[in-house]
Amino acid sequence: MSETNLNPEEPKKSLNFIEVAVENDLKEGKNDSRVQTRFPPEPNGYLHIGHAKAICIDFGIAQKYGGVCNLRFDDTNPVKEEVEYVDSIMEDIQWLGYDWANVYYASDYFPQLWDFAVQLIKEGKAYIDEQSAEEIAKQKGTPTEPGTNSPYRNRPIEESLDLFNKMNEGVFEEGSMVLRAKIDMAAANMHFRDPIIYRIIKRPHHRTGSTWQAYPMYDFAHGQCDYFEGVTHSLCTLEFVPHRPLYDWFIDQLATSDYRPHQYEFNKLQFTYTLLSKRNLRAMVEEGILDGWDDPRMPTISGFRRRGYTPESIHILMDKIGYTKYDGVNDIGLFEYSIREDLNKKATRVSAVLNPVKLVITNYPEGKTEIMPAQNNPEDENAGSHEILFSRELYIERDDFMEDAPKKYFRLTPGNEVRLKNAYIVKCTGCKKDEAGNVIEVYAEYDEMTKSGMPDSGRKVKGTIHWVSEEGCFDAEVRLYDRLFMVENPADDERDFRELLNPDSLKVLKGCKMESYLNDAKEGDKFQFQRTGYFCVDKDSTPENMVFNRTVSLKDSWAKAKDR
Ligand code: ATP
Ligand code: MG
């Protein structure tokens, strides 16, 4: 790989700590040697690249150890959830190459969760608290000071049962009471200080309608759903470490055999120059800052897909970054490296001139055209070739010509020779300018003997530039994307994220010149525009106006030389 200056270590082939745990459990014959995982998204937004990390380990572990992975929608909060999100989540998982054994919804378990809550009340392990959220929070204590018992903590069981039923019947207002587990207000782990397990929400649910008005909290639903389904390895991110004892506590109250799901926590994916939080991403969509959840600048899976990223590039990335127990920030450059690595092997090389100026080959016969073969991919000898047209009038990139060039400029400048990729060596003879001094045409003479197959075809010159023939080419729109955020760690920045946005994250170029081969390209098709970058056809394309997204640039040796 010569296209990148990043040089990440080779992916480690050793097992990650989750695989080690699974292999130990299998060795010990735990849970009848079953391996069952789940991916548990909350359907309150589109999946982002962080979720892809979770998907790859949840489905990957099941795949590797002959187990089962289910998709479970964590739809315990009716306020934020929508069917659109459910559909997009399914599409994204399948695009990553995975399939679930079953689709479940946490809401499917509302009856069992209700029964379990009733069981806890009857056992004296839960009570209805009529205090406000603020009062309850005030009594929580701090990590070093114990909390204070609620005045409702020892109310009669019958009273709690009656109120719990009424909570669900809609008798009471939202926020007027909650069901709390009665554990220990002095526990060192704050999550044990009588956690709230049910609250009132008077909003129809996308699946259960208005059947329920009392809804379980995440901590009361997640572990139990794992248990009801038979999950063995419940994988989540590190912020759930302090929740794990409570997860285990609820399951201990529920379990009737030795079977136990076990929670394991790994580090979240966080990228430089990127915000991964559905709340912020939703704001960007709703405020019209971006063009929907699949805007190619979005760090969503659908955004990266539209941008031209492949599922393979995501797997390459996940292999490189691995799964650990320590949070950290990954360089977004690593993802760019991964997509280059994949597309380098796959993408057909074509010519596209993004910022065109005309090049006239003055000694080439007027009206003559030639067909030249262009290799599709030098990295893949089976990729074949396609035909390109050569003619007297061509387009080249504006910055491939300079009238007064510095010494190390190996492109077109009067008196200098370059090779036109797949065609002849030409020598620059000058240019024509408009009244304002802008170059409007560049002139050169070609050397007939330097075409492939001709005697001087092997003659070396220092520069090779790309071009398209005026005849047969067509105009298209090209969208160049840059980082959405100007700061390296927007997640840690105290300013509002709107102040951190890069105003130049999208540049639209019109009138770019495309070789005719691209005429047949379809939405999602991926190409290497030679010397420029990897591009794909955007969904906004029409037959009259094709639109190409820049997935990622190639490293430009001239830009690097200039920087030195
Ligand atoms: P966000 O805070 O971005 O909205 P979330 O954690 O609330 O994300 P969920 O739908 O609840 O989103 O997450 C589904 C699964 O994806 C969980 O197991 C969660 O731990 C995991 N996950 C979420 N964000 C990341 C991330 N950045 N890296 C790895 N896994 C993640
Ligand atoms: Mg969440």
Side-chain angles (χ1 to χ4, degrees), residues 169-236:
E169 286 159 7
V171 175
F172 304 117
E173 289 314 303
E174 283 187 18
S176 61
M177 61 184 66
V178 291
L179 182 68
R180 295 176 74 181
K182 191 194 228 175
I183 311 181
D184 180 2
M185 288 305 290
N189 183 326
M190 303 280 285
H191 295 281
F192 275 72
R193 297 185 184 177
D194 290 9
I196 296 171
I197 58 179
Y198 263 87
R199 79 273 210 213
I200 301 168
I201 300 176
K202 296 188 155 185
R203 187 76 90 88
H205 184 278
H206 77 119
R207 285 176 60 83
T208 58
S210 50
T211 310
W212 303 92
Q213 316 216 28
Y215 287 92
M217 301 295 288
Y218 174 88
D219 274 337
F220 192 70
H222 198 91
Q224 287 93 299
C225 292
D226 285 345
Y227 177 82
F228 296 138
E229 283 170 12
V231 168
T232 56
H233 298 81
S234 181
L235 314 178
C236 62

Side-chain angles (χ1 to χ4, degrees), residues 47-339:
L47 296 179
H48 55 58
I49 188 69
H51 294 115
K53 177 170 180 177
I55 291 170
C56 289
I57 191 78
D58 289 329
F59 285 91
I61 285 281
Q63 224 166 46
K64 180 164 180 182
Y65 296 103
V68 163
C69 182
N70 293 313
L71 170 59
R72 184 205 310 142
F73 289 103
D74 230 316
D75 59 347
T76 48
N77 184 351
V79 175
K80 300 181 289 181
E81 292 147 7
E82 285 179 35
V83 178
E84 177 196 354
Y85 299 141
V86 167
D87 295 340
S88 75
I89 288 168
M90 290 179 162
E91 185 185 354
D92 289 350
I93 296 171
Q94 287 173 326
W95 180 73
L96 285 172
Y98 295 116
D99 216 345
W100 45 87
N102 301 285
V103 179
Y104 296 125
Y105 292 82
S107 56
D108 295 342
Y109 306 105
F110 283 167
Q112 284 117 297
L113 290 168
W114 176 267
D115 291 346
F116 180 44
V118 167
Q119 176 198 321
L120 290 180
I121 300 173
K122 285 183 176 165
E123 292 172 356
K125 292 174 184 164
Y127 61 97
I128 296 286
D129 195 334
E130 291 175 57
Q131 299 180 98
S132 67
E134 295 75 43
E135 282 168 312
I136 292 174
K138 255 190 257 157
Q139 294 163 359
K140 257 258 123 130
T142 68
T144 50
E145 282 169 69
T148 327
N149 286 350
S150 159
Y152 296 96
R153 195 169 199 262
N154 291 315
R155 79 189 317 162
I157 287 171
E158 285 311 317
E159 214 174 276
S160 282
L161 280 177
D162 179 52
L163 290 170
F164 190 40
N165 276 313
K166 287 184 173 144
M167 258 174 79
N168 197 38
E169 286 159 7
V171 175
F172 304 117
E173 289 314 303
E174 283 187 18
S176 61
M177 61 184 66
V178 291
L179 182 68
R180 295 176 74 181
K182 191 194 228 175
I183 311 181
D184 180 2
M185 288 305 290
N189 183 326
M190 303 280 285
H191 295 281
F192 275 72
R193 297 185 184 177
D194 290 9
I196 296 171
I197 58 179
Y198 263 87
R199 79 273 210 213
I200 301 168
I201 300 176
K202 296 188 155 185
R203 187 76 90 88
H205 184 278
H206 77 119
R207 285 176 60 83
T208 58
S210 50
T211 310
W212 303 92
Q213 316 216 28
Y215 287 92
M217 301 295 288
Y218 174 88
D219 274 337
F220 192 70
H222 198 91
Q224 287 93 299
C225 292
D226 285 345
Y227 177 82
F228 296 138
E229 283 170 12
V231 168
T232 56
H233 298 81
S234 181
L235 314 178
C236 62
T237 37
L238 285 170
E239 74 270 26
F240 290 101
V241 168
H243 296 246
R244 192 193 328 133
L246 184 59
Y247 175 107
D248 292 337
W249 189 86
F250 283 130
I251 289 171
D252 284 339
Q253 310 305 308
L254 192 59
T256 54
S257 72
D258 285 348
Y259 154 66
R260 292 284 187 288
H262 194 284
Q263 178 182 299
Y264 300 85
E265 309 86 7
F266 59 87
N267 59 330
K268 267 198 160 164
L269 173 65
Q270 209 188 316
F271 271 139
T272 52
Y273 300 100
T274 309
L275 257 194
L276 296 183
S277 135
K278 273 182 275 185
R279 193 166 47 85
N280 291 332
L281 300 183
R282 190 174 326 106
M284 287 191 252
V285 174
E286 284 170 0
E287 293 169 26
I289 296 171
L290 294 178
D291 173 28
W293 285 96
D294 68 347
D295 186 298
R297 290 165 291 176
M298 277 287 241
T300 51
I301 296 178
S302 49
F304 282 117
R305 176 166 61 232
R306 183 168 166 198
R307 172 94 167 242
Y309 278 72
T310 58
E312 292 76 14
S313 69
I314 293 178
H315 295 296
I316 292 171
L317 171 76
M318 299 306 165
D319 277 350
K320 283 189 202 304
I321 62 178
Y323 294 82
T324 74
K325 294 185 190 180
Y326 306 96
D327 271 324
V329 182
N330 290 111
D331 187 340
I332 186 74
L334 206 55
F335 197 17
E336 293 166 0
Y337 176 92
S338 305
I339 183 64

